[in-house]
Structures are given as C-alpha cells and as structure tokens.
Amino acid sequence: MKSVIDFLINEVKIKNNDTIVLGNSGGPDSMCLFSILLKLKEKLNFNIVCAHVNHNVRRESIEEKQFLMEYCEQRHIIFESMTIERYGDDNFHNQARKIRYRFFNDLVKKYDANYLMTAHHGDDLIETILMRIVRGSTLKGYSGFNKILDNGSFKTVRPLIFVTKEEILEYNSKNKIPYVVDKSNFKDKYTRNRYRMNILPFLKEEDARVHEKFIKFSEMLDAYDEFINYEIRRSIEKVYKNNKIKIGLYKELSPLIQKKIIYFILEEIYKDDLMIINDKHVKLIMDLLKSKRANARVCLPHNIEVCKSYDELDFSKEIKEVVNYEIELIQFATLPNGHKLEVVDDIDGNDNNICRIDTNEVSFPLYVRTRKFGDKMFLKKINGYKKVKDIFIDSKVPVKERDKWPIVVDSKDRIIWIPGLKKSKFTKLKNEKYDIIIKYS
C-alpha cells in the first residue's frame, strides 16, 4: 500500500492536528483504509473520526455496528453512527448515498474536519465509469469520481483509488485486519454488482492493471472538462442569470457550447447526484429550447422543473404549495409572490404599478386574490371585457406565475386592477377625481 501512503503524505499532505472523518462500513475496503490511517497516525498526530451508517436493510447491521464501535473503543478512536429509519419511494441506492453524505458532512462541521475520506478503490472507479457510459452522462460524469475533491472548507479524499479489490484483500489477510462481509454485494439484482461480477474479470484478464488506465482516462476527461468549462463560463455569463437562460442569446452560440451549457447547469444543480441525470434529460431540455410553444415545461429528478416562458428558460426547484389566497386590503398587504400592496397618500406617475380609485364607484372592502376560472375585466380602451387569461398571455406572464398573480377586486368581486399589468374602467388618472391611491412594489 505504498502508493496510498505516498499519496496521503505527498499529495494530500496530511499533517499534525488535522482531523479526518472516515466513512466506514466495516467492510474490507473501509477497514483496509482505517488500518493504513491508524499506522500513519503513529507518525503524524492527526485525529480520526470513524463514521458508520446502518442502512437498516439486513439483520447483520446491528452486529456490524457493534463490531466497529468496539474496534474504535479499543484504539481510542471517536466513533459516530446513525441508522436510516426509513426510505422514500426513490431509488434505494441514491437515497442511501444522499443520507450517508449528509451525515458525513454534518460530522465534518461538528469536528471542524479537514478531510472526509472514503474507501472507494480502483475497481470502483472502473465500475462507475462503465455504468455512466452505458447510462449516458456528462463529460464530468464519464470521468467517474475524483481522488481529491475540494469542497472549500474541507476536501473529500479517496486514497484507495490506486489499488484494486484484490490488493485490498491481500493486505487485510497479510495484516490480519478484521472486517465484515455484506452478502448483498454478491447479488446480481444490483446493477453495480453485475458490472463487478461479469465485466471486471474480463477486463482484468486483458490487463491486470487496467484500473490504472481508467485513472488516466478519468484524469484526462477532468482536464478537458476544466478547459471547456473555462470557455463555458465566458459564454454562460451572457446567457444565464438567476437560474434563467435567455433563449435568444443562447441560440446565437455554437451547438457544442449550447449543449455544454445545459450539462454545466445540470452539474451545478445535481453535484454529487449526477448519476441520476442522463442523456434523455438533456435531450428533453434541448427539445424544450427548440420548441415553438411559448410556454412549456419538463420535470427532472428531485423535483427540478425546467420551464420555457417566451424567451426564457427557467431552472427551479418545484415548490408544492397552495397558491389560492384572498386577502382583505386595508392599508398594507404582503403577497405570496414576494411583492406588496400599500395604500399611500401621494405618488407621481400613472403606470400599472399605481392604482387610483374613487370610493364612490366601487364597493368596499377591497380584496386581493388569485385568479378564478372565467375572470374578466372591463377595460376603458376597448369599452368592453377582456379575459384575464388573455391579459396574462398578452403581457407574457410565465405560466408558473399566473396562478399566484394578485388581482384586486371590490366586495362585488369586480376586478379593479391587475397590479403591474392592467387597469380597469374603475382606475383613474392623476388629473381625474379619486380619493385612494394603491402602490404595487
């Protein structure tokens, strides 16, 4: 394991008083890395926090936790654990991974750790790359995982990336390292296990050190990705802001840069969950951009919604909420869309953010509510009614904003004003008779 120790000392540069959170399942890989860190700790006085997650799907899980806890106690190593009590309906492995890393990150903060280390090895890298090639991914996704990932306040490190599973087992045997065995790792119902049992043996027959080729492949893709991202950042500043793409400007870019911008945005959104994004998702977004429809949307994993609204494409977390509301407007009202209505004494201007009313022409109290099916407003200019739906369309209000857009009505439910958009026959100009002014901001 000389390559692992050299990496930790010369590249990671562990030093005295550093703190390492070690994700440890109790399996052969984790215990191998634990052993290496314990030996290195004899030379460098750093701290280890052993972090264990009980996935709560096998009967042996409690025994495995007990084994690891006692192992840590005997060596005076801090032991932290958690049990996953329940899973949702999403992919089990994705959920387990998210919960694990949330737990690890919490421990990093708790102990002000410098490093989070996991026991991913060279064979794991091969499996990850092959799975993503078959599934479809981004350039970054195809590179598998980094041996060092800088998270700002700490680094995620995978020291065993240089060695194979066989070398790990040989090390454990030679050094009499105890470990537990998860029998689910041998079940071919799991995708990764099928790659491990069927494809890796063939590759290793062709080249016993094939994992080193995959490391080079991963590093090369990372280098290309870094260069392309430099070019992307120069372009993306012009077309993407506040989670929105300006479609007109976007279409002026070359097809390669266009597609890479989509990948770049998805990488920023999903980060370590990139495994769940594939080429089909990217194609859905590209088709949305090319669509002639003024308003359309696609839904991505984890409730991410991509909405096309006229000349903008909006990436957002879909918020499940009740948007219907009705608020009595007296002096001031804060609205669910983040704006407010306020009765003021005086103000200049006659734009659609200001409404002047003659109290003799409307029925009080006034209310602000969301739209209703069939809503119509009487307009002065056409001397007749116009559907609120058509006003939204003419004003190019995004579909996702229409259901919570404020509409001011009187007690007879006559529409007085659609703040920011349109005034009715009841609103007055500054040179006309009025006694109430309402401001929308």
Side-chain angles (χ1 to χ4, degrees), residues 28 31-32 35 39 71 171-179:
M31 293 304 292
C32 171
S35 169
K39 286 183 179 180
Y71 191 87
Y171 173 90
N172 288 346
S173 176
K174 181 179 178 180
N175 293 277
K176 296 183 172 53
I177 305 300
Y179 57 83

Side-chain angles (χ1 to χ4, degrees), residues 67-95:
F67 152 74
L68 194 53
M69 182 171 65
E70 291 175 0
Y71 191 87
C72 289
E73 286 176 354
Q74 292 166 8
R75 289 155 182 81
H76 307 290
I77 299 296
I78 298 171
F79 177 76
E80 293 271 8
S81 69
M82 71 156 294
T83 299
I84 301 177
E85 298 295 343
R86 61 185 297 273
Y87 297 88
D89 298 326
D90 200 358
N91 180 283
F92 160 73
H93 288 289
N94 285 333
Q95 281 194 69

Side-chain angles (χ1 to χ4, degrees), residues 21 25 31 52 59 70 105 128 145 157 198 203 226 230 242 258 289 322 346 350 366 371 441:
V21 173
S25 66
M31 293 304 292
H52 176 74
R59 287 178 296 179
E70 291 175 0
N105 290 339
T128 301
F145 50 76
V157 182
N198 300 314
L203 292 176
E226 186 176 338
Y230 171 75
N242 298 325
Q258 286 181 4
L289 282 159
V322 178
D346 190 28
N350 281 311
L366 299 180
R371 64 173 177 168
S441 61

